[in-house]
Amino acid sequence: MLHIFSDAPSVADYVSSALVEKIRSRPEVVLGLATGGTMEPIYARFVDQARRQRLDVSRLTSFNLDEYVGLSADHPKSYSAYMRHHLFGHLGFDSSRLHLPDGLARDLERHSREYSEKLRRCGGIDLQLLGVGGNGHIGFNEPGTAFDSRCHVVRLSERTRVDNSRFFDGNAIVPASAITMGMCEIMEAREILLVATGESKARIVAEWYRHEVTEAIPFTVLKRHARAKIILDEAAASLLPDSVRGSPAVASA
Ligand code: GLP
């Protein structure tokens, strides 16, 4: 399940091509989408590739993994704004098919249940894109999140808030909580591409490799998924054992 590429641009090429291929073969595909620095070069590459190939994206449906509580869709640091900037503002998406949790929902618990229900009615996710937090979170499912969790409100760990403060200007405060798809919605995706690039992910990738599946490292749950690929650049793979980094299966990816 490990695929190691030389650098982040090569990773972006691979993931973007996989997305293009998926949408071409199934224009009504349901995508699970992620945010974060890791996804930026991937979306940039995808926009470029889709434009050049005149890919029709108007029939696809998407569900984003998460959103900060307290930020409106117009807030420049919301994940909604991120998605418009990097992806949805380009190409010919049908905005009525693009879903993100509402960080301003009055009843957050109820909104979480409704988000999960809407996803279920759309048939679940065909292809889920995932990044990973430095502490092993996927979506915003922090260490310790139950594997049977569904879309819910989460209190962000201090580590995550510090990691994500780089996206917030100056002394602006990183929200304390978020709405995230749960571990169930993620694991129910028919196919998963988890991407980790850069040295800052090397430690958590090595831990993922070493550990059995444990709720203490949410990322490890992917070992139980039959169609999950872990896509790394060499920097993120740098703390894996040499035998893994050099194995022919990985080298040929
Ligand atoms: C964020 C997001 C995740 C993302 C992860 C990694 O907090 N909620 O969905 O995958 O952390 O972010 P980055 O790619 O910026 O390292």
Side-chain angles (χ1 to χ4, degrees):
M1 71 193 298
L2 270 175
H3 299 258
I4 304 175
F5 295 86
S6 54
D7 51 20
S10 312
V11 166
D13 271 350
Y14 176 81
V15 177
S16 165
S17 301
L19 281 173
V20 167
E21 199 38 56
K22 186 58 107 183
I23 298 165
R24 193 188 303 292
S25 64
R26 186 145 186 256
E28 288 89 10
V29 67
V30 179
L31 298 176
L33 297 177
T35 50
T38 311
M39 296 299 145
E40 291 180 18
I42 293 173
Y43 292 146
R45 183 80 185 98
F46 174 77
V47 168
D48 182 52
Q49 237 181 324
R51 202 172 269 151
R52 279 191 289 108
Q53 299 184 27
R54 297 176 192 280
L55 184 72
D56 177 14
V57 295
S58 68
R59 285 181 284 158
L60 68 77
T61 297
S62 71
F63 283 84
N64 262 75
L65 280 165
D66 43 21
E67 179 59 283
Y68 289 111
V69 166
L71 301 193
S72 70
D74 294 335
H75 190 288
K77 300 301 172 188
S78 68
Y79 282 159
S80 206
Y82 171 105
M83 291 308 294
R84 281 195 302 281
H85 181 72
H86 294 289
L87 188 62
F88 298 157
H90 312 272
L91 310 170
F93 290 98
D94 173 353
S95 58
S96 69
R97 296 177 193 266
L98 311 173
H99 307 281
L100 278 107
D102 176 4
L104 288 188
R106 208 173 301 164
D107 183 339
L108 293 166
E109 302 295 342
R110 182 171 164 188
H111 178 65
S112 303
R113 284 194 301 276
E114 288 170 353
Y115 193 70
S116 190
E117 179 54 24
K118 204 189 294 174
L119 172 58
R120 199 188 60 76
R121 280 199 308 270
C122 286
I125 293 164
D126 293 310
L127 176 62
Q128 176 69 56
L129 271 190
L130 278 183
V132 60
N135 62 0
H137 73 226
I138 50 177
F140 266 136
N141 292 287
E142 298 281 31
T145 304
F147 283 162
D148 64 358
S149 59
R150 295 209 160 262
C151 186
H152 62 287
V153 181
V154 59
R155 209 168 171 74
L156 299 177
S157 69
E158 204 41 42
R159 166 76 196 265
T160 296
R161 295 183 71 212
V162 169
D163 280 354
N164 287 5
S165 63
R166 71 190 194 280
F167 296 113
F168 288 77
D169 306 324
N171 55 4
I173 293 168
V174 183
S177 51
I179 304 178
T180 183
M181 268 186 208
M183 301 298 277
C184 285
E185 284 97 353
I186 294 173
M187 286 298 281
E188 284 162 7
R190 288 175 268 285
E191 199 179 336
I192 297 178
L193 301 179
L194 180 139
V195 186
T197 52
E199 247 173 70
S200 65
K201 299 292 165 71
R203 194 192 53 82
I204 193 64
V205 167
E207 281 189 27
W208 169 83
Y209 183 78
R210 258 201 323 271
H211 282 82
E212 296 291 308
V213 175
T214 166
E215 288 179 353
I217 309 174
F219 173 27
T220 57
V221 78
L222 298 191
K223 292 183 178 188
R224 289 189 182 153
H225 197 287
R227 296 189 67 203
K229 286 182 181 168
I230 311 297
I231 299 160
L232 310 173
D233 66 356
E234 276 175 9
S238 58
L239 296 179
L240 289 173
D242 288 347
S243 56
V244 177
R245 286 190 292 143
S247 78
V250 171
S252 67

